[in-house]
Amino acid sequence: RSSAKLVAPLGCLVSRQKHTLPDLPYDYAALEPHINAEIMQLHHSKHHATYVNNLNVVEEKYKEALAKGDVTAQVSLQPALKFNGGGHINHTIFWTNLSPNGGGEPKGELLEAIKRDFGSFANFKEKLTAASVGVQGSGWGWLGYNKEQGRLQIAACANQDPLQGTTGLIPLLGIDVWEHAYYLQYKNVRPDYLKAIWNVINWENVSSRYAACKK
């Protein structure tokens, strides 16, 4: 009996350590015409899935290195852990930041915070768009919350660097500006993609994230 009781918790522990691809809260075609179904399917089922699979592999290798006390192996695995872990974190947030019923402006406390920290919603939108367009190569544009200063901030991160892990800002709204997020539809014209994505921003989700991080 004692061994049977032990196996179940261990099995749960192992299963919790494995990351899985989250389901989208909408169909692949739901964001059209702003982001087409082909992009969404490839982005979610191929790109995000690859980050998840690679993250599980890297974590397993890292766990083995920890068990062996192999510091050299631990250090050598950290770039892959950062890249794939960040890819999983960033995309998990990204999907919830989008909605077929999105667009417009936020309401309530978040809108007031945006006006306080950026002067107006239009000014905020312009600044985040500029930061996202200006990312060299691949990366992300972010609206984050600086908990120490109690204010909103805009930041850009290269590649799949996770916002909180690299800047300390709590991620509220992330815009993926890797080419796989828009190239099939917008070619190399990133500004057109940035203009379109504002039509599907899920402000309810962003507002909920903002309220949660202030607690």
Side-chain angles (χ1 to χ4, degrees), residues 86-207:
H88 181 39
I89 291 169
N90 293 342
H91 285 88
T92 299
I93 296 169
F94 182 62
W95 307 131
T96 64
N97 280 168
L98 305 177
S99 169
N101 301 313
E105 298 185 6
K107 299 177 181 178
E109 193 175 13
L110 177 60
L111 180 58
E112 293 307 310
I114 287 174
K115 290 178 178 178
R116 178 196 68 207
D117 295 330
F118 302 104
S120 67
F121 177 76
N123 196 41
F124 151 72
K125 182 176 175 181
E126 181 180 342
K127 286 181 177 295
L128 182 52
T129 297
S132 302
V133 170
V135 171
Q136 294 186 353
S138 300
W140 292 72
W142 287 98
L143 171 66
Y145 180 66
N146 186 321
K147 202 169 183 69
E148 291 185 0
Q149 299 180 12
R151 67 186 185 92
L152 302 173
Q153 285 183 225
I154 287 171
C157 292
N159 300 315
Q160 292 296 351
D161 291 1
L163 183 69
Q164 191 165 4
T166 53
T167 69
L169 298 176
I170 300 171
L172 302 179
L173 169 63
I175 300 179
D176 189 347
V177 290
W178 279 66
E179 285 190 342
H180 65 236
Y182 62 88
Y183 198 87
L184 288 175
Q185 185 172 0
Y186 295 98
K187 307 306 180 190
N188 64 330
V189 190
R190 186 186 289 178
D192 285 355
Y193 159 69
L194 267 298
K195 183 179 179 181
I197 202 169
W198 289 103
N199 293 298
V200 289
I201 296 297
N202 184 355
W203 289 115
E204 288 187 13
N205 175 264
V206 181
S207 295

Side-chain angles (χ1 to χ4, degrees), residues 8-83:
L10 283 176
C12 292
L13 180 63
V14 171
S15 66
R16 281 201 300 271
Q17 290 176 337
K18 292 293 183 182
H19 301 281
T20 58
L21 181 67
D23 293 331
L24 293 186
Y26 40 76
D27 294 333
Y28 287 136
L31 304 181
E32 291 187 342
H34 309 293
I35 305 177
N36 68 35
E38 185 180 14
I39 286 176
M40 292 299 296
Q41 183 173 8
L42 289 171
H43 197 171
H44 177 257
S45 69
K46 300 297 183 183
H47 290 282
H48 190 175
T50 298
Y51 297 128
V52 171
N53 294 336
N54 289 343
L55 177 59
N56 285 325
V57 172
V58 172
E59 284 192 341
E60 190 63 33
K61 291 180 179 178
Y62 199 86
K63 187 166 64 175
E64 293 173 2
L66 283 172
K68 294 176 181 177
D70 189 343
V71 178
T72 298
Q74 293 170 43
V75 171
S76 69
L77 288 166
Q78 285 175 8
L81 187 63
K82 180 181 181 182
F83 182 77

